[in-house]
Amino acid sequence: MTKVSPPRSRRAANDPERRDKIIAAARQTIARLGVADTTHRRIAETAGLPLGSLTYYFSGLDEIIAAAFEQLAEEVSGRFLAVMAAAANREAAREALVSYLCDDAPDKSDDMIVIYELYAYASRRTLLKTIMLNWMAASRRALEQHFSPEEARALDAMIEGITIHNATNPKLLDRADIARIVETLTR
């Protein structure tokens, strides 16, 4: 994945975890308010940090949002890769994919909201678009451990569609529906 490098500091950071606090606060703010209403001030308030401290770690709001998106992409890609890698065979991979899509952990719902906020935002920003495209490619590579490239592309599109629908209406597709779709796409 493309890395967003922190800008050179004007002075040494006195809190090495502050950058991570800012990124976490950005994700929380985006989940709560959306990208359009995410500001430096709201991120600083969420992080419990002085507003001016954000400029020691990031050159601007776009860079903070890019770092939040990159972190989320790495986390979600890592979890998905682990799920696919743990599957012993094609049938186990189908079941693992269905389980992954049906997981309704509370933090997954916030992640889904942030993902779709950031997808829309990234569509018009080159750096974020690169991060998003790399993320999609990583998902397809994870799927290609058990499925053909054509199946992986179809499954990747299906995953995006199902997560969009189920993020807004968890009862839209149940486990049996998702299993049938996965089976159809991987015959």
Side-chain angles (χ1 to χ4, degrees), residues 155-176:
L155 289 168
D156 190 41
M158 179 269 309
I159 290 166
E160 296 296 331
I162 285 176
T163 53
I164 288 170
H165 290 284
N166 284 356
T168 57
N169 181 357
K171 300 296 183 202
L172 188 64
L173 291 172
D174 64 17
R175 184 177 193 87

Side-chain angles (χ1 to χ4, degrees), residues 90 140 143-144 146-155 185:
R90 189 173 167 89
R140 285 190 302 276
L143 289 162
E144 286 173 4
H146 300 284
F147 305 106
S148 72
E150 295 78 19
E151 289 170 328
R153 280 195 308 274
L155 289 168
L185 292 174

Side-chain angles (χ1 to χ4, degrees), residues 84-99:
M84 290 292 100
N89 55 43
R90 189 173 167 89
E91 189 54 42
R94 285 185 184 115
E95 182 56 34
L97 180 55
V98 172
S99 293

Side-chain angles (χ1 to χ4, degrees), residues 26-40:
R27 285 175 59 176
Q28 291 169 11
T29 304
I30 293 166
R32 190 176 74 246
L33 302 172
V35 173
D37 290 329
T38 295
T39 63
H40 282 97

Side-chain angles (χ1 to χ4, degrees), residues 5 11 13 23 31 37 55 62 65 67 71-74 76 90 101 107 117 124 130 132 139 147 150 155 165-167:
S5 300
R11 64 182 172 132
I23 294 169
D37 290 329
T55 61
D62 272 351
I65 291 171
Q71 182 187 72
L72 179 62
E74 288 175 1
V76 174
R90 189 173 167 89
L101 289 168
D107 61 331
E117 283 285 331
R124 291 179 177 80
T130 299
M132 181 178 63
S139 294
F147 305 106
E150 295 78 19
L155 289 168
H165 290 284
N166 284 356

Side-chain angles (χ1 to χ4, degrees), residues 101-128:
L101 289 168
C102 293
D103 176 19
D104 60 356
D107 61 331
K108 188 174 179 185
S109 179
D110 278 353
D111 282 354
M112 290 298 105
I113 291 167
V114 174
I115 287 167
Y116 295 111
E117 283 285 331
L118 292 172
Y119 271 3
Y121 190 73
S123 69
R124 291 179 177 80
R125 286 167 174 76
T126 304
L127 173 61
L128 293 173

